[in-house]
Amino acid sequence: MSMRPSRIALVALMGILVSACGGGGEGVQGNNRSECRPAPIPTPRPLAEEALARELADSWMKRHAPETLAWDWGPAVLAYGILDLYEATGDSAYRTYVEAWARHHARGYKPIWSDNVAPIAAATRVARWSCDPELLALSDRAWLYLTEEAPRTPSGGISHLGIFASGSVQLWVDSLFMFGSFLLERGRTLDDPAVWDLFASQIRIFSVSLQDAGGFFRHALIEGAPVPSDPVFWARGNGWIANIVPRFLEVMPRSHVERSEIERIASRLLSAVVATQDEGGLWWTVLNRPGESYLETSATALFADGLIRGAALGLVDEADAAVVSGRALSAIKGRIIRRDGMAVVGGTSTGTVPGSFEKYAAVPQKDDVDYGLGAVLMALTSPK
């Protein structure tokens, strides 16, 4: 099954509408959020690739003022990677850059679909160190959207398309990172058990709907059926899940009733990832069709970070993960391009909607893409 033309047109329309949707919406009234206690400023830790990570982030920041970045999922992934670098180095310049971006867009903002919940993850993460009321009010609005306003499937899965659903509530694997990163950061900031419950239930629902017996996820559930209908597995989509679920398990209470199930879901996926790496260290943009599409950078970076974190949690064999993630990091470094004294990430596939193998293989690649850099920063700053 392929995405219907009307759905493709809808996705194109969303980009136009979301870009114009920064205003509107008041603060959440009567929110019963848990108390925020400021986290300590991060202590720098040894980082094998610190020089490269800094070079990449600094090159981007020199060329892009934070106020020029859209309030969208691509810059959100970039911001998430920059904040990983902040936590690893303690260098306040990185946090300041993300905070300036968040403040530029925060006032009166109302989330309306999964992809524009993603920026609020970074804003909520910044609030961990300050408990800033404006950023926490933004976090409250995203929580209200996810718990009360977002359309859901009959099984309770949160619609990727939000208010754009138009009667077709769709699950996209992208959502588990886009709203999942927000839930993770809200949980870390406020230590609210309801956040862990919601994220755990969504991972389980998405797994039941989209995870194949071999461990990989299909891209979407549309009109009750998985898309693609054939076993075609998009790399970055699986990378979103392989990255965010181990991060969630790092902070999810060990006593949580759903923890063992979430571990099982993640272990199956990470084992499939280990088995499909190309000998050069990258992954194909269609994971189970080696040599038929192209090798892709952002998915490789997401997998590398997820494997390192997953191995530390016992989700995948530690020795296997070390070998595979090491090859991935070496391959990623081979995709760094230097232009006019600036470092950029090459070989990132551009925006991708659910479809057939031919559609995934035809998605163009670009250099210097915000979310590609964000993913690479996550990989370069992984806790070893």
Side-chain angles (χ1 to χ4, degrees):
M1 174 180 176
S2 297
M3 198 173 188
R4 292 184 176 182
S6 60
R7 298 283 179 243
I8 296 172
L10 178 61
V11 171
L13 176 62
M14 287 190 295
I16 298 170
L17 292 175
V18 170
S19 66
C21 214
E26 300 298 327
V28 177
Q29 301 298 316
N31 187 277
N32 294 318
R33 112 161 81 86
S34 303
E35 182 181 355
C36 175
R37 296 179 178 85
I41 298 302
T43 301
R45 57 179 170 82
L47 197 61
E49 301 297 341
E50 180 174 342
L52 178 58
R54 283 180 174 273
E55 182 186 10
L56 286 164
D58 293 350
S59 292
W60 177 277
M61 290 162 56
K62 287 175 183 175
R63 292 178 292 118
H64 303 276
E67 297 82 5
T68 65
L69 303 183
W71 191 244
D72 200 4
W73 71 271
V77 177
L78 169 68
Y80 212 71
I82 290 176
L83 289 176
D84 275 2
L85 183 57
Y86 167 62
E87 290 204 35
T89 64
D91 188 334
S92 62
Y94 300 120
R95 172 181 160 189
T96 298
Y97 182 85
V98 174
E99 185 170 1
W101 169 68
R103 289 190 179 285
H104 179 71
H105 292 282
R107 192 173 301 278
Y109 180 77
K110 182 175 174 60
I112 53 177
W113 67 311
S114 291
D115 279 359
N116 71 357
V117 171
I120 304 177
T124 304
R125 190 171 177 181
V126 168
R128 285 182 57 219
W129 299 290
S130 65
C131 292
D132 180 270
E134 182 178 35
L135 298 181
L136 288 175
L138 184 61
S139 179
D140 291 343
R141 290 196 288 274
W143 177 248
L144 179 69
Y145 167 75
L146 291 175
T147 56
E148 298 185 22
E149 299 170 352
R152 297 195 181 213
T153 66
S155 62
I158 294 173
S159 168
H160 183 73
L161 301 180
I163 69 166
F164 301 102
S166 300
S168 176
V169 178
Q170 303 178 12
L171 301 185
W172 290 26
V173 291
D174 316 47
S175 281
L176 279 184
F177 188 94
M178 301 309 161
F179 69 64
S181 56
F182 160 71
L183 292 174
L184 171 60
E185 297 308 330
R186 186 171 174 91
R188 293 172 77 195
T189 300
L190 302 176
D191 194 24
D192 182 354
V195 177
W196 309 132
D197 293 346
L198 178 57
F199 197 10
S201 70
Q202 291 303 306
I203 294 169
R204 175 176 43 77
I205 290 166
F206 274 66
S207 171
V208 169
S209 299
L210 296 171
Q211 192 170 25
D212 191 74
F216 286 135
F217 283 70
R218 309 288 176 95
H219 193 159
L221 187 77
I222 300 175
E223 297 178 356
V227 177
S229 57
D230 296 329
V232 172
F233 305 112
W234 173 47
R236 189 166 61 241
N238 280 272
W240 295 132
I241 302 173
N243 186 277
I244 199 64
V245 175
R247 287 173 180 257
F248 174 48
L249 287 166
E250 289 172 346
V251 296
M252 182 187 191
R254 293 198 169 273
S255 60
H256 195 283
V257 67
E258 294 213 62
R259 185 177 179 94
S260 61
E261 176 63 11
I262 305 307
E263 290 175 338
R264 186 187 68 83
I265 291 166
S267 180
R268 289 172 58 210
L269 173 57
L270 292 174
S271 296
V273 169
V274 166
T276 51
Q277 186 184 40
D278 183 71
E279 62 182 12
L282 300 165
W283 277 265
W284 298 91
T285 199
V286 176
L287 291 162
N288 59 326
R289 301 278 289 269
E292 297 182 55
S293 54
Y294 54 81
L295 297 162
E296 204 276 332
T297 305
S298 65
T300 296
L302 294 168
F303 287 147
D305 183 48
L307 286 167
I308 291 167
R309 294 172 184 274
L313 292 163
L315 303 175
V316 65
D317 182 83
E318 190 170 4
D320 288 346
V323 171
V324 171
S325 61
R327 282 200 302 252
L329 288 170
S330 294
I332 289 167
K333 286 189 282 185
R335 290 209 156 187
I336 305 304
I337 303 165
R338 287 173 174 83
R339 296 174 179 162
D340 301 323
M342 299 289 181
V344 302
V345 173
T348 298
S349 65
T350 52
T352 306
V353 297
S356 63
F357 167 80
E358 290 75 17
K359 288 183 178 178
Y360 292 118
V363 172
Q365 292 177 286
K366 286 182 64 177
D367 301 334
D368 200 25
V369 177
D370 46 19
Y371 55 85
L373 171 56
V376 167
L377 291 175
M378 292 180 205
L380 294 177
T381 57
S382 290
K384 303 295 190 291

